[in-house]
Amino acid sequence: MIVRYEPWGAWVKLETEPAIVALDRAGVRALGLDGGRAWQAPPRASAPIELHMAVTARCGAGCEGCYLDVRPDGVEPPREVLLRELDAAAAAGVLTVAFGGGEPTTRDDLDLLADAARARGVAPVVTTSGLGLSDARVERLRRFDQVNVSYDGPGDTYASVRGFDASEAAERAIERLAAAGVRVGVNVVLTRSSFPALEGTIARARALGAVEAQLLRYKPAGRAASLDYLARRLSPGQARALGATLRGLAQTHCADGRFHVRVDCALVAFLSADEALARDPAALARFGVFGCEAAGALAAFTVDGRVAPCSFATASDLPALELAAHGDDPTLARWRAHVEAPPEPCASCSLRAICKGGCKVVSAHLDGAHGPDPECPRVQDARGERAA
Amino acid sequence: MKSERTVPPESIRAVRAGHGANCSSIGSVIDTLFATATVGAAVLAAVVAALGREDVRIAGDDAPPAPPPSPAELPPRDEP
């Protein structure tokens, strides 16, 4: 296990179970450990436990809603640069690195980067479109703890999200990776058009060999930060139905414990509309559900080597190589400040400590500032904006 | 470091299950919230058992100094 001390105890990344555990101080002492400097020094902002690292800005897919606006001729940092960034991540105590891009499988040295992360005690995972997945690329992906393939649904559903239908290529990728013994999940972007097809999408992914589905909120960044965003995002009714939808997916697909459904940080705000979940925030906390952790438990390295609060947010001036100083950076501190003292209606929300105010990228896009997530059902109710 | 040890279940503040392989936003397993108490207890038991048997490495500020990069990590790479 890998232990990272925190003022309240420690994060522990297990190696024989796929889990990260938060232990209090008594639990850490039971491991025979003393808490090190984190228990003696004055508390400060902790470094991220998860890092999203753009290893290329190159991608030929051309998805309409690409959150980074990447291109086929995007830059690709040399491996030595990325190795130094991995050194910085390890020194800061990052536990998991998710390689992204661009399309990370365009790098011939992706397997070496995975090995380098692992050698530094950081678990490597990766996201791919699955397009153009050669045998050599499948082989490289075997070095990762998990590979997620972007798969928004079969046929027209996929096309409605990305602007072209490459669903068959994504399906082949899921199948081939699973056959090669790779733990494979799918990333499903939830839009107004993909949400009604979600049950079928999950069933199909599962049949192809995926062991997990990560549901992603559509966010207004990159090419998605356009007027089109308003037509593509989930409708208010769909957002309110998320809790019930998750309950149904869990009953249908997860009862035997071999398939899991994840929600991304930005979707947690929508759970405020689910009476049972909103009534029991302790349950969400116990299962480690994270809302907005931008500049908190999460950070991103941009392809030009700077630290961003998350992959969707504008980067700070902090160089990636100085990640250990993330607690002192003023831009990152501003993101955390909102979480620590949110205005109403977040301040009185039962899910406040989990949700952390919803997605700041959405609030910045729609309201022009960090603030309560304007698509959160509870925020809409407070603003008198309830819609069908 | 390896020894016989028992972490009390009440010391486990949170369990984040799975690997989470998305590169754009941080995700959390949610289906366990709707699972039966038996499933929840099994997850906790597996975690307690792993905490009792796995070797410990320290990360972050208190980690031992990192070794120099292996030559195998460095460019160039010739094969396609």
Side-chain angles (χ1 to χ4, degrees), chain A:
Chain A
M1 73 183 86
I2 298 174
V3 176
R4 196 185 85 180
Y5 297 130
E6 297 289 335
W8 41 262
W11 283 112
V12 179
K13 179 158 184 34
L14 298 174
E15 294 176 294
T16 57
E17 293 287 331
I20 295 177
V21 180
L23 276 188
D24 67 12
R25 287 190 175 198
V28 176
R29 287 194 191 97
L31 294 175
L33 303 173
D34 64 3
R37 275 176 271 188
W39 290 11
Q40 293 155 11
R44 59 180 181 134
S46 294
I49 58 170
E50 183 166 317
L51 175 70
H52 297 166
M53 188 170 180
V55 296
T56 178
R58 191 175 297 169
C59 181
C63 300
E64 282 178 354
C66 176
Y67 66 94
L68 287 175
D69 194 20
V70 293
R71 311 276 170 176
D73 58 353
V75 297
E76 190 164 284
R79 193 186 326 150
E80 7 354 355
V81 170
L82 298 178
L83 291 174
R84 289 208 306 274
E85 291 184 3
L86 286 172
D87 285 336
V94 167
L95 299 176
T96 302
V97 61
F99 292 137
E103 172 52 51
T105 62
T106 59
R107 290 194 70 105
D108 290 341
D109 58 359
L110 193 62
D111 50 344
L112 298 182
L113 291 173
D115 291 348
R118 201 180 299 284
R120 288 159 175 78
V122 183
V125 295
V126 66
T127 301
T128 175
S129 67
L131 310 187
L133 203 62
S134 62
D135 289 342
R137 288 182 180 181
V138 169
E139 193 54 35
R140 285 181 203 123
L141 291 173
R142 288 165 60 96
R143 311 290 252 279
F144 288 86
D145 280 0
Q146 184 167 317
V147 177
N148 272 21
V149 176
S150 298
Y151 179 65
D152 309 309
D156 291 346
T157 303
Y158 185 107
S160 73
V161 175
R162 300 195 180 254
F164 56 92
D165 179 10
S167 59
E168 287 184 12
E171 289 178 354
R172 274 197 305 278
I174 298 163
E175 218 166 11
R176 289 178 63 203
L177 287 165
V182 176
R183 183 181 160 86
V184 58
V186 292
N187 282 354
V188 184
V189 176
L190 299 183
T191 64
R192 200 161 297 194
S193 56
S194 70
F195 189 80
L198 185 56
E199 162 58 34
T201 299
I202 301 294
R204 179 76 180 131
R206 204 177 152 205
L208 292 164
V211 296
E212 191 172 273
Q214 162 103 40
L215 309 184
L216 305 170
R217 184 167 161 192
Y218 191 65
K219 301 176 194 73
R223 289 199 282 272
S226 67
L227 276 179
D228 228 21
Y229 171 74
L230 300 177
R232 288 179 175 237
R233 63 181 179 176
L234 292 181
S235 72
Q238 289 171 329
R240 285 171 194 273
L242 181 66
T245 302
L246 294 172
R247 203 171 274 111
L249 291 174
Q251 282 165 1
T252 307
H253 298 288
C254 308
D256 64 4
R258 286 186 292 186
F259 185 88
H260 292 289
V261 174
R262 300 172 81 90
V263 291
D264 83 348
C265 40
L267 285 170
V268 172
F270 297 167
L271 301 182
S272 65
D274 188 280
E275 212 173 287
L277 292 175
R279 207 173 38 230
D280 190 10
L284 282 95
R286 204 162 46 245
F287 285 105
V289 175
F290 277 170
C292 178
E293 287 290 344
L298 173 67
F301 283 177
T302 60
V303 77
D304 60 351
R306 289 179 298 152
V307 179
C310 75
S311 295
F312 299 91
T314 305
S316 71
D317 292 328
L318 184 69
L321 299 182
E322 295 174 23
L323 180 65
H326 133 295
D328 305 320
D329 181 81
T331 301
L332 301 175
R334 186 172 61 86
W335 283 69
R336 289 190 295 272
H338 176 80
V339 167
E340 285 157 12
E344 288 291 0
C346 297
S348 59
C349 179
S350 64
L351 296 184
R352 169 187 160 181
I354 313 290
C355 168
K356 301 194 170 179
C359 184
K360 316 299 179 293
V361 172
V362 174
S363 66
H365 180 73
L366 294 177
D367 291 342
H370 281 192
D373 188 330
E375 295 174 9
C376 166
R378 193 168 182 278
V379 172
Q380 291 184 337
D381 286 347
R383 292 179 177 179
E385 291 175 357
R386 181 162 190 163

Side-chain angles (χ1 to χ4, degrees), chain A residues 1 16 18 37 44 111 288, chain B residues 16 18 21 54-55 57 61 77:
Chain A
M1 73 183 86
T16 57
R37 275 176 271 188
R44 59 180 181 134
D111 50 344
Chain B
R16 282 182 51 76
E54 291 190 10
D55 293 336
R57 280 188 289 164
D61 285 350
R77 179 169 205 180

